C-alpha cells in the first residue's frame, strides 16, 4: 500500500518508536525490504538516492517497479516511496514520477536560499499529495560523492525550516553517512534536545543510522527522532553473505552460478538485518 510518509511518522512520534527508511538499490533489495516489513508488520519508507535512481534507470522505472512489486507481493503495510537527499530538480522529477514522498536537501545552500527553495518545494509537494523532508546542517560522511562535515544543526535555522510546513526534518546531531570512524564522538543529545524544544511536534529524521550503537538510537527515539535511515548496514550484510557464498565455492557447485542462487544469501541477509533494525526501532506490529 503506497502512501505518503506524514501519517506514519506522526504516529511514530506520538507512539515513541521509529520508522525505518531502508534505501533500495535494485530489485532484490526492494523485494527483501518489502518482505521483511510485511512479515514484521512494520510501516516502511523506501529511500532512493539520486545515484540509486540513476542506476535503476530513472525514477519512473523505480516507481513502476515498486508499485508493481507492492501489488504482486500483496503488501499490506504502509509503504512510502521517498527521494533521499534530493536536489531541486530531482524533487520535481520524483513528483512527476509518482513518488509519494521527497526529501529536499538544501543544507549546502546558504540558509536564505535553503529557506526559499524549501518553501517552494513544500508547496509543490503538498499540491501533488506528497510528504516532504528538509535538511538543516549537513550530515557528515559521503553521500553520492558529496562530503559533509558532520556539523550540528543550529536550532534557530531548524525552526525557520520547520515553520515552512515541512512534514519531517533532518538535522545534523553529529551523525554521519557510511561507516563510523573509531574516534567518533557519538550523537549530540544536547543538540537534539535544543532542536526539539524549538520545533515542537515535528518528527525528526536521523540520517546515517547504520553503525550508531543501539542504545544511542533508542535514546534519540525517546527524544523525538521518528525516522532512522539505514543504507550502509544492508550493503555490508549483502556483501558479506555474497562473499561467503563465493569463498565457499558454492557458485561452482551444480548451477550455483545462477543469479537467483548467487544473490539469494545476500537477499536473505538483508531480510534478517531489516528485522533486526525493526526490533531496535520498535516499529514491529505498528502497521
Ligand atoms: Zn542521509
Amino acid at each position: 500500500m503506497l502512501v505518503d510518509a506524514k501519517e506514519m511518522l506522526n504516529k511514530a512520534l506520538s507512539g515513541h518508536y521509529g520508522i525505518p527508511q531502508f534505501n533500495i538499490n535494485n530489485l532484490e533489495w526492494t523485494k527483501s525490504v518489502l518482505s521483511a516489513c510485511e512479515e514484521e508488520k512494520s510501516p516502511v519508507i523506501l529511500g532512493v538516492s539520486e545515484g540509486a535512481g540513476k542506476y535503476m534507470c530513472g525514477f519512473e522505472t523505480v516507481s513502476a517497479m515498486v508499485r508493481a512489486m507492492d501489488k504482486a507481493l500483496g503488501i499490506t503495510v504502509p509503504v512510502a516511496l521517498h527521494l533521499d537527499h534530493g536536489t531541486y530538480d530531482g524533487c520535481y522529477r520524483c513528483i512527476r514520477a509518482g513518488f509519494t514522498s521527497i526529501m529536499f536537501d538544501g543544507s549546502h545552500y546558504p540558509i536564505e536560499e535553503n529557506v526559499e527553495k524549501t518553501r517552494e518545494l513544500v508547496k509543490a509537494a503538498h499540491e501533488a499529495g506528497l510528504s516532504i523532508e528538509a535538511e538543516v546542517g549537513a550530515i557528515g560522511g559521503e553521500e553520492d560523492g558529496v562530503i559533509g562535515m558532520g556539523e550540528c544543526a543550529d536550532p534557530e535555522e531548524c525552526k525557520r525550516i520547520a515553520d515552512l510546513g515541512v512534514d519531517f526534518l533532518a538535522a545534523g546531531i553529529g551523525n554521519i553517512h557510511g561507516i563510523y570512524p573509531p574516534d567518533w564522538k557519538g550523537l549530540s543529545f544536547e543538540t537534539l534536545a535544543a532542536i526539539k524544544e524549538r520545533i515542537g511536534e515535528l518528527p525528526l529524521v536521523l540520517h546515517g543510522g547504520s553503525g550508531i550503537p543501539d542504545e544511542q538510537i533508542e535514546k534519540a527515539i525517546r527524544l523525538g527522532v521518528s525516522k532512522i535511515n539505514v543504507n550502509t548496514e544492508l550493503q555490508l550484510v549483502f556483501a558479506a553473505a555474497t562473499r561467503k557464498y563465493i569463498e565457499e565455492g558454492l557458485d561452482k557447485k551444480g548451477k550455483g552460478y545462477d543469479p537467483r542462487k548467487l544473490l539469494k544469501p545476500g537477499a536473505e541477509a538483508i531480510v534478517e538485518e531489516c528485522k533486526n533494525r525493526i526490533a531496535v526501532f520498535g516499529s514491529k506490529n505498528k502497521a
Side-chain angles (χ1 to χ4, degrees):
M1 185 174 49
L2 259 73
V3 295
D4 70 62
K6 188 180 166 73
E7 189 185 337
M8 65 170 89
L9 287 173
N10 285 338
K11 277 186 186 169
L13 181 63
S14 54
H16 306 290
Y17 57 91
I19 300 288
Q21 172 181 312
F22 294 122
N23 279 48
I24 57 171
N25 291 287
N26 59 20
L27 184 144
E28 282 75 15
W29 237 262
T30 312
K31 189 174 165 186
S32 291
V33 169
L34 287 178
S35 303
C37 294
E38 180 66 26
E39 272 185 60
E40 300 301 275
K41 293 285 174 278
S42 168
V44 64
I45 295 167
L46 301 179
V48 180
S49 69
E50 297 215 355
K54 200 171 166 190
Y55 174 80
M56 290 185 273
C57 300
F59 297 132
E60 285 186 18
T61 307
V62 176
S63 177
M65 176 183 74
V66 168
R67 285 167 188 278
M69 199 183 284
D70 180 73
K71 198 172 157 193
L73 294 174
I75 303 297
T76 62
V77 300
V79 177
L81 178 57
H82 179 73
L83 171 64
D84 191 23
H85 290 283
T87 58
Y88 178 82
D89 290 339
C91 285
Y92 280 108
R93 279 188 280 127
C94 283
I95 290 173
R96 287 196 298 270
F99 276 49
T100 62
S101 189
I102 52 172
M103 173 191 187
F104 171 59
D105 181 356
S107 63
H108 51 286
Y109 291 116
I111 183 68
E112 296 306 330
E113 196 172 353
N114 190 1
V115 166
E116 282 321 305
K117 287 189 160 71
T118 300
R119 188 198 310 277
E120 181 194 323
L121 284 160
V122 165
K123 188 165 178 280
H126 286 168
E127 277 174 6
L130 285 77
S131 49
I132 179 166
E133 172 181 352
E135 178 169 330
V136 183
I139 313 292
E142 192 245 329
E143 179 114 337
D144 283 347
V146 179
I147 313 278
M149 298 301 285
E151 60 191 80
C152 282
D154 173 355
E156 291 308 318
E157 291 187 358
C158 291
K159 168 81 174 143
R160 286 190 65 188
I161 297 284
D163 284 349
L164 301 173
V166 302
D167 299 299
F168 34 109
L169 181 70
I173 54 167
N175 43 319
I176 60 171
H177 294 116
I179 295 169
Y180 282 78
D183 60 348
W184 180 57
K185 291 181 179 62
L187 296 177
S188 168
F189 294 109
E190 236 175 40
T191 306
L192 175 52
I195 293 169
K196 189 69 200 159
E197 201 193 293
R198 293 300 287 131
I199 65 167
E201 292 300 300
L202 182 68
L204 282 166
V205 182
L206 185 62
H207 282 247
S210 300
I212 297 175
D214 289 348
E215 62 275 12
Q216 289 192 35
I217 290 183
E218 286 158 359
K219 188 171 177 186
I221 291 171
R222 285 198 299 278
L223 291 173
V225 163
S226 309
K227 169 175 176 278
I228 304 100
N229 291 7
V230 176
N231 190 7
T232 306
E233 237 145 24
L234 302 185
Q235 298 180 0
L236 292 173
V237 298
F238 179 86
T242 308
R243 173 194 294 273
K244 182 166 176 280
Y245 182 86
I246 291 175
E247 283 182 349
E248 286 173 354
L250 297 173
D251 57 317
K252 292 180 177 165
K253 283 192 187 135
K255 284 196 176 172
Y257 54 83
D258 178 338
R260 282 175 260 165
K261 291 181 179 164
L262 179 65
L263 297 176
K264 195 176 177 197
E268 288 175 347
I270 292 174
V271 171
E272 282 317 300
E273 191 55 33
C274 287
K275 289 182 180 177
N276 286 340
R277 294 298 88 202
I278 287 167
V280 173
F281 303 166
S283 63
K284 186 176 166 137
N285 293 325
K286 301 291 187 190

